[in-house]
Amino acid sequence: MSGNPVFPGWYADPEGIIFGKKYWIYPTFSAPYNQQVFMDAFSSSDLVNWTKHSRIIDTTSIKWAKRAMWAPAIIEKGGKYYLFFGANDIQSDKELGGIGVAVADNPAGPFRDHLGKPLIDRFHNGAQPIDQFVFKDKDGQYYMIYGGWRHCNIAKLKDDFTGFVPFDDGTTFKEITPKNYVEGPFMFIRNGKYYFMWSEGGWTGPNYSVAYAMADSPFGPFERVGKILQQDPKVATGAGHHSVIQVPGKDQWYIVYHRRPLTETDGNHRETCIDQLNFDEKGFIKPVQITVEGVKRNRLR
Ligand code: FUB
């Protein structure tokens, strides 16, 4: 079994993904904001043994980023790896920061700044520019779904990830915020349905959790179905800000998320865990059982 957490250290907001024959996890280094000046990544061929890749990106390569490097999202396109991240925790349009994009030839980096400036540097529809997820639709179009401060937007990415393409109605950022949304959006498709997931509650507290909606399009409408990940007083508190991995070619799914050990109350004491994500016969997500054991060894072939 993998055990939970799957690797040691305070790491949050994990983005789990498969590249080739390896699982990768890209988390936030969970520490005071001024110490969040780099990101580490972790890889595994079986979910049990994890290799740490230190400082795949840091503020020396991203000149405009000073602190609070958060919640990475990564995709591979044309043999290059694009890492999207939040930085500086901007509180208004007057501050420098927001969502950036970096690029590398290898999933372990080193990542260099793709633009030399943020990709989103201001608030749109009330959404703080953090917590981006990059979603590839069935037709190959990439969308950015992002937002903190209880607002979530979707925007159509340019092919080279240097900016956005306006929608037919002339707008660039469409708000898709569902009820109770706070931050940490994630999207995937299963059996033709779009599953939209997000975090609710405050990330420093025990009630942080994940809920979801289902729709026929990435634009919704998204009606909240319910919570599927939350604390278990016997295991851990503050379970949230997750991602989802599908085993290629199989209806087998994992949820990668962070949680706080029962012994900890410091907001930053968050650990990265993996558990199974299961569906019922109607396609609804079953509540996740958070475990100490984690998931079974599963070597990718
Ligand atoms: O780790 C920093 C922030 O914590 C994230 O961006 C939020 O979503 C929360 O998980």
Side-chain angles (χ1 to χ4, degrees), residues 34-105:
N34 286 339
Q35 293 170 31
Q36 293 178 310
V37 291
F38 66 90
M39 286 174 174
D40 299 327
F42 297 82
S43 65
S44 171
S45 50
D46 62 4
L47 291 175
V48 172
N49 300 295
W50 290 88
T51 302
K52 179 173 173 177
H53 306 270
S54 295
R55 291 191 174 243
I56 58 160
I57 188 170
D58 65 29
T59 51
T60 58
S61 58
I62 312 293
K63 300 290 180 216
W64 56 269
K66 300 275 174 272
R67 67 201 288 260
M69 292 188 86
W70 288 350
I74 189 160
I75 53 121
E76 181 274 326
K77 188 183 179 204
K80 295 216 178 289
Y81 297 83
Y82 295 88
L83 184 76
F84 299 81
F85 56 93
N88 299 355
D89 182 33
I90 64 166
Q91 303 294 302
S92 78
D93 290 344
K94 295 195 183 100
E95 295 175 37
L96 174 64
I99 294 171
V101 54
V103 64
D105 298 323

